[in-house]
Every structure is written in C-alpha cells, then in structure tokens.
Amino acid sequence: MRVLSSLIAVCIVLFLSGCWDNRDINHRVLPVVMGVTMKENEYLIYLQIPVPSGNTTKTKIVTGAGKTINHAVDKISANLEDHVDLLHVKVILVDTKYAQKGLDDIIADFMRGRDVSTKTLIAICDDDMDHFFTSATQSMEPKGTALYDFFEKNAGWNPQIALTRVWEVYRSIHSYTRDVAIPVIRSGKTTVVQHIGAAVVKNGKMVAQINPDETLLFNAFNGESTQGKIEVSNHASVLIISNAITNKSLMVNSMPILKSNLKLKVVILETKGNPTTETIKQELEDVVKQRFDQMFAKLQKSGADILGTGQYFRSELSRAELKNWRTKYYSELKLELQVDAIIENTGFLNMK
C-alpha cells in the first residue's frame, strides 16, 4: 500500500512540474508589434498592446530599456500588472541606423530563445521610433491591428511590398548565396503607414535600398504573385492578373550566366489615343526590363544577392566555390531577362 501511495505521489509531482509556471491567458499581455532601437548603448523596446474596450480595440504603447532585449522586456513586465508574452508578436520594427549596423545579434537571440515566433515579420522603420509609434497609435484608433494588417495578404498587403520573416533573415546571415529584402516604412501623413521600398540586407546589414517598383520585380523574380499591380506606360495603363518566371543557368568560360523569362498576363484598363495592342505590349516589356536592369545593377554594386541567383548554380559550382559566390562570381554574373507580356483583350471574363 505504501508503495502504491508513493507511486501516486511521484506521478502527481511529475504532472505538476510541467505546468507550475503557466499563467492564465487573462494574466498575460499579448503585444502585436515590437519596436527595437539602440539608445546610449542600451536596447530601447516599444511594445504595442491591443486593449479591448467595449466593442472596439484600443492600443497602448509601453517602452523599456535594457542591456538585452529580454532584459528590457523583463523590466516592462515588472511594471505591468500582467506577464508580457512575446509569442504573439506579429511584426518587429527596427530603425534604419540599427539595421545598417547589423541585425545579427537580435536575430540570433530570437532564434535561440524562441520567445518570438520565427515566422514573425520584420520591417525597417525609416523614422524616429517615438514619432512613428505615437503617430501610428493615434491613426489606428479604434482598431489596433492596422500595422499588422498592412503586411497581411488577406488585408492591406500589395505586391510591391516585400514580406520577410525572422527565420529568413537568419538563413541569409548563414547562407553563401542568398540575401534578403526587408520592407521599409515610415509614418504616413494621411495614412497609418507609408511604404517607401525595401532594404537590401547582406550578411545581416542594410547595404542599399530599392524602391517599391523594384520591390515588385524582386517579388516576381522570387515567384510571388504580382496580381493587382497597375503598370503605366506612355499609351496605356494595365493591370497584372498573373505572372510566372523560369530560369536557366550555365557557366561559359567560368562566367555565370542566368537566362530568365518573366511572363506577365495583363488586362488593359485605360489607353491614351488609339495605340495598338502590339504597341502597349512592347512599351510594357521595355519598361519592366529597363527597371529590372537598373535594379540588378544596383544589387551587383552592393554585393547583395537578394534574388538568390547563386541558388541556380548549385549544380555547376562546388560547395567550396559557392562559398565565394558573392566575392568571386556574383559581380561577374550576366543576367539576361526576357519579358513577355500577354494582353488579355477579353478582360476578366476568361480569367481562371
């Protein structure tokens, strides 16, 4: 009988040991946005917290400083009536100066600690953090999730906005052939957020910036849908309804060559004068190709391969050679892009 009683007691202890520190959902604070910057050699953290109020949701901003992000969050949590839970953070904002110094430390901390989901979106704020959060909070009332909705594909996202997550930045820091583009935003004058392009991030550091039109091509090259984007040429404006890209790599005299074919299916929205379909098609192809060539020249100059072109040469180059992709091969890469525009004169009637 004593043996049975002892076994029951041990089982109870084992079951309790796994949940003794769990906190009820009603006693947890769930921020949706985290801002990170540096001030006087300390991390300054901003947390945007939704607060239910009747039939609406308001927001409050709390701040804290510390030697590490966790230290700052602990200090915030100590001054709140509830425990701060970062697992529900949807967007992490870092300011431009910090991004230029390097994101290595905070990305490694997020991946190691897992307090923040690795699927959390990351963006760069080209604005003073105090001003941004004050302005954004005032503009968000009564709904407190406008910033997250800006990046949500089922809400406010547009195809010229890059979407980059914590795990993708971590992968790029440790990759020989792939860098990342991180969206850059600031507080808007008449809107909550103003999108101004994407930061080109190499080995965790921001080294250049591309505009929204170039970001659209970055998304298209990486297979993201550009449906819904309007392109304007000299004689017409068209709406992109689908896109597809194919790539073929080869080495010629130790020089990497990538032949890419971008197909755009579009619908004509407006015309100026009476241009022919062929004229509109040619103008669109020329505009897109010229824009892409300018963007790629900028990327090669920065040494950042956000298009992931090195991935296409894994069968032509050994791992040791790929290790030198950015320094030896990328600057010599010849990328030949062909743009094929397909104009759907029937509009949306036959779109599948």
Side-chain angles (χ1 to χ4, degrees):
M1 190 66 182
R2 290 182 178 178
V3 174
L4 180 60
S5 300
S6 300
L7 288 175
I8 293 174
V10 170
C11 289
I12 291 174
V13 171
L14 289 175
F15 280 119
L16 290 177
S17 64
C19 58
W20 68 271
D21 61 343
N22 280 358
R23 290 179 173 86
D24 187 87
I25 186 69
N26 295 324
H27 297 289
R28 287 188 288 172
V29 174
L30 307 176
V32 293
V33 178
M34 174 194 286
V36 181
T37 185
M38 293 289 288
K39 187 175 182 180
E40 298 178 355
N41 295 321
E42 281 192 323
Y43 286 97
L44 182 59
I45 305 300
Y46 297 77
L47 297 179
Q48 183 187 81
I49 303 170
V51 180
S53 177
N55 296 324
T56 63
T57 301
K58 296 183 178 181
T59 60
K60 67 177 179 180
I61 304 298
V62 294
T63 62
K67 295 181 179 180
T68 66
I69 291 178
N70 285 327
H71 183 213
V73 173
D74 282 343
K75 290 170 69 174
I76 293 174
S77 188
N79 294 323
L80 292 174
E81 63 276 12
D82 297 313
H83 175 72
V84 176
D85 188 343
L86 300 179
L87 196 59
H88 293 269
V89 171
K90 303 299 182 183
V91 181
I92 296 173
L93 285 179
V94 296
D95 69 356
T96 306
K97 291 183 179 179
Y98 186 75
Q100 290 171 342
K101 290 181 180 179
L103 304 172
D104 309 44
D105 291 341
I106 64 168
I107 295 298
D109 290 343
F110 291 147
M111 294 296 294
R112 185 186 305 111
R114 299 300 174 104
D115 293 324
V116 175
S117 171
T118 58
K119 296 181 180 179
T120 301
L121 294 168
I122 187 165
I124 292 174
C125 180
D126 186 32
D127 202 349
D128 177 76
M129 280 286 188
D130 281 325
H131 176 264
F132 177 84
F133 276 101
T134 300
S135 176
T137 301
Q138 293 173 350
S139 303
M140 285 179 190
E141 302 295 352
K143 186 179 179 182
T145 59
L147 186 57
Y148 171 59
D149 289 341
F150 180 79
F151 296 102
E152 175 58 45
K153 286 193 174 183
N154 295 323
W157 179 80
N158 283 293
Q160 63 267 41
I161 300 174
L163 292 179
T164 304
R165 291 167 174 78
V166 168
W167 71 266
E168 292 175 306
V169 181
Y170 181 81
R171 178 189 63 182
S172 71
I173 293 173
H174 299 278
S175 172
Y176 300 142
T177 57
R178 188 192 294 270
D179 295 300
V180 290
I182 299 178
V184 180
I185 61 174
R186 61 182 302 116
S187 55
K189 294 181 179 179
T190 58
T191 57
V192 176
V193 176
Q194 179 185 356
H195 174 246
I196 59 176
V200 177
V201 178
K202 174 187 176 184
N203 293 330
K205 293 183 179 180
M206 178 178 174
V207 295
Q209 186 170 327
I210 56 178
N211 61 42
D213 286 336
E214 293 170 336
T215 307
L216 177 80
L217 294 178
F218 159 76
N219 282 337
F221 192 90
N222 285 283
E224 291 283 350
S225 172
T226 59
Q227 180 178 346
K229 179 66 170 67
I230 296 175
E231 289 289 343
V232 180
S233 60
N234 291 331
H235 292 91
S237 62
V238 299
L239 177 69
I240 300 174
I241 58 176
S242 69
N243 61 281
I245 190 165
T246 56
N247 300 283
K248 181 180 179 181
S249 61
L250 63 153
M251 297 290 293
V252 178
N253 297 325
S254 299
M255 176 182 290
I257 299 175
L258 185 63
K259 296 184 178 183
S260 302
N261 179 257
L262 176 63
K263 292 184 178 180
L264 299 174
K265 187 178 291 187
V266 302
V267 171
I268 299 174
L269 297 179
E270 299 172 298
T271 59
K272 299 176 183 179
N274 297 299
T276 64
T277 300
E278 186 59 34
T279 298
I280 298 174
K281 168 183 165 68
Q282 190 62 52
E283 286 184 349
L284 177 61
E285 292 174 350
D286 291 344
V287 166
V288 172
K289 188 177 188 318
Q290 181 182 12
R291 186 187 303 159
F292 184 89
D293 290 342
Q294 291 175 348
M295 177 190 69
F296 186 65
K298 185 189 302 183
L299 295 177
Q300 273 191 313
K301 184 178 180 180
S302 71
D305 189 4
I306 63 173
L307 299 178
T309 56
Q311 299 289 315
Y312 299 102
F313 292 88
R314 288 185 173 273
S315 59
E316 283 85 7
L317 298 173
S318 66
R319 182 172 177 81
E321 291 173 322
L322 285 172
K323 188 176 181 180
N324 300 318
W325 169 256
R326 292 187 183 94
T327 56
K328 182 178 180 180
Y329 296 99
Y330 183 54
S331 60
E332 301 296 325
L333 173 65
K334 184 178 181 182
L335 202 164
E336 301 174 356
L337 178 71
Q338 179 181 342
V339 181
D340 291 330
I342 302 171
I343 298 178
E344 292 281 334
N345 288 321
T346 55
F348 294 100
L349 296 177
N350 292 336
M351 191 181 77
K352 297 181 180 180

